Structure formats: structure tokens, C-alpha cells
Amino acid sequence: MAKAEGETIIKKYANRRLYNTGTSTYVTLEDLAKMVKKGEEFLVQDAKTGEDITHAVLTQIIFEQESKTGNTLLPVSFLRQLISFYGDQMQMVVPTFLEQSMQAFTEQQVQMREQMSRAFGETPLGKNLQVPMQMMEDQVRRNTEMFRQAMQMFVPFAATPPSSGQPKKAEARDIDELKEQLRNLQSRLDSLGA
């Protein structure tokens, strides 16, 4: 993979050491996490093969962050749902949905922080807990609706009924199977929104 403009190359050696070519220093996963938080772009390459291993390293950073006591962002229910999508027909849609959801959340986080600051800064936490919870629920609803819209692109619908007025048995079975798949998908969406 070619280096993008403004992107730092991090080389990972066989001994697991990470070398920042921009600063000519060895770095840790914690250092890379700080770079991410600062918005610094980087590409991690295997020092021997030149292979792009950024995804694996970022996943490792998430694993380490999640392993720290009291520092979890990913609820067990979310992890279970995410794992269930591997190998599923929906697997190809999930990355785009998650990326769009995180982008929308990022764009709204400044506004949410201001609202939470006003809510918690003026009166005790207990009285205003409803405000941030409502904001979170609204965000989940928006994300769920985005997911439903994305799913509509992948679910075939019959545009016109068959001319005979009675669908054939095979067609009826296919329709029943599609309905069952939609019910299962709706259940998953409802559990995501809960």
C-alpha cells in the first residue's frame, strides 16, 4: 500500500518492535494510541515484507485498551453481535455501517459534550441523567435507521405480483424465506437499538 500524504510509516520488526520513520524512534502501542487520539495518520508495515498490517495493529491496540481494568468501550452484547456477523450474509454491510455510525457520532460529539457539560455542570448528576441518556438513545435510533436504509439496498423485493394472481409453490416458499430473514434481521436491529 502506498503512503498517503501526511501519513507516517511505522515499521514493525520481527522482534515486535515498532519504529516510527517520521521521528526516527521506537514506539509502543500506547504511543500509537496517542497518535490516533491526536488524529495523526499512520500506516504500519511489516519491516521485512512491506505488507500493510495497520488493521492488525489497531485491533491489537483496541484489545489492550479493552483489557485495562475499567476502560472498556465495547459491551459484551455488542461483541457477541459483532462476532455473529462473521461469515453471515450481512458481514459485507457491517464495516460500512460501523464506519458511518462512528463518523456521525464523531461529528456530533462536540455538541453532545457541550450539552452534557451544561447538564452536569449546572445541577447534580441525578437530576440531569435523563438528558445524556436521551441523547444516546437518539443517536442509537439514528444509527439503527441508517442501518435499515443500508439493508434495503440488499433485500430484493418483488416489484409486481405474478400475473396469475397465485404465486407458485416455489415462489411462495421463497417469499416465506425472505419474510423469515427479514424478521430475523428486524430482531437483530431491535436488539441493537435496545
Side-chain angles (χ1 to χ4, degrees):
M1 182 174 207
K3 174 185 171 183
E5 189 176 326
E7 189 173 54
T8 302
I9 300 292
I10 307 293
K11 294 194 179 266
K12 185 172 184 178
Y13 291 93
N15 63 3
R16 296 191 197 182
R17 293 199 68 189
L18 297 162
Y19 183 76
N20 183 330
T21 61
T23 60
S24 299
T25 58
Y26 284 99
V27 293
T28 64
L29 290 175
E30 188 66 35
D31 294 327
L32 294 183
K34 289 176 185 174
M35 290 174 69
V36 168
K37 289 176 183 180
K38 291 178 185 175
E40 296 178 31
E41 295 290 326
F42 59 85
L43 172 75
V44 183
Q45 292 180 335
D46 182 288
K48 186 175 183 179
T49 65
E51 177 188 1
D52 180 359
I53 57 172
T54 307
H55 185 274
V57 171
L58 292 174
T59 304
Q60 188 177 358
I61 291 169
I62 291 170
F63 176 77
E64 286 196 3
Q65 292 292 319
E66 287 289 310
S67 297
K68 291 181 179 179
T69 306
N71 202 25
T72 59
L73 288 178
L74 305 174
V76 171
S77 61
F78 173 80
L79 294 172
R80 289 180 197 274
Q81 290 169 343
L82 190 60
I83 290 168
S84 73
F85 283 118
Y86 283 97
D88 187 87
Q89 295 172 346
M90 302 310 300
Q91 182 175 343
M92 65 182 180
V93 180
V94 172
T96 303
F97 170 73
L98 291 175
E99 190 172 20
Q100 289 176 351
S101 295
M102 287 306 294
Q103 182 62 37
F105 183 77
T106 300
E107 290 170 358
Q108 295 175 2
Q109 81 175 339
V110 172
Q111 178 185 0
M112 289 176 69
R113 285 182 184 190
E114 288 174 359
Q115 289 175 349
M116 289 175 77
S117 175
R118 282 195 303 264
F120 294 132
E122 296 170 2
T123 59
L125 177 65
K127 293 181 180 177
N128 286 313
L129 186 58
Q130 210 59 18
V131 174
M133 293 305 290
Q134 183 61 45
M135 291 177 350
M136 292 296 202
E137 288 174 12
D138 292 345
Q139 182 64 39
V140 168
R141 279 191 204 95
R142 284 191 293 272
N143 289 349
T144 304
E145 183 56 34
M146 266 193 333
F147 187 66
R148 283 190 182 124
Q149 290 172 2
M151 293 310 305
Q152 288 177 353
M153 295 186 298
F154 296 97
V155 179
F157 290 100
T160 56
S163 58
S164 66
Q166 284 293 89
K168 297 177 185 173
K169 287 184 180 183
E171 290 173 342
R173 195 172 343 119
D174 289 344
I175 290 171
D176 289 341
E177 287 176 15
L178 281 174
K179 286 179 181 177
E180 181 62 28
Q181 289 175 357
L182 284 171
R183 280 191 289 272
N184 290 338
L185 180 59
Q186 184 63 46
S187 295
R188 285 184 180 177
L189 288 173
D190 290 342
S191 67
L192 282 174

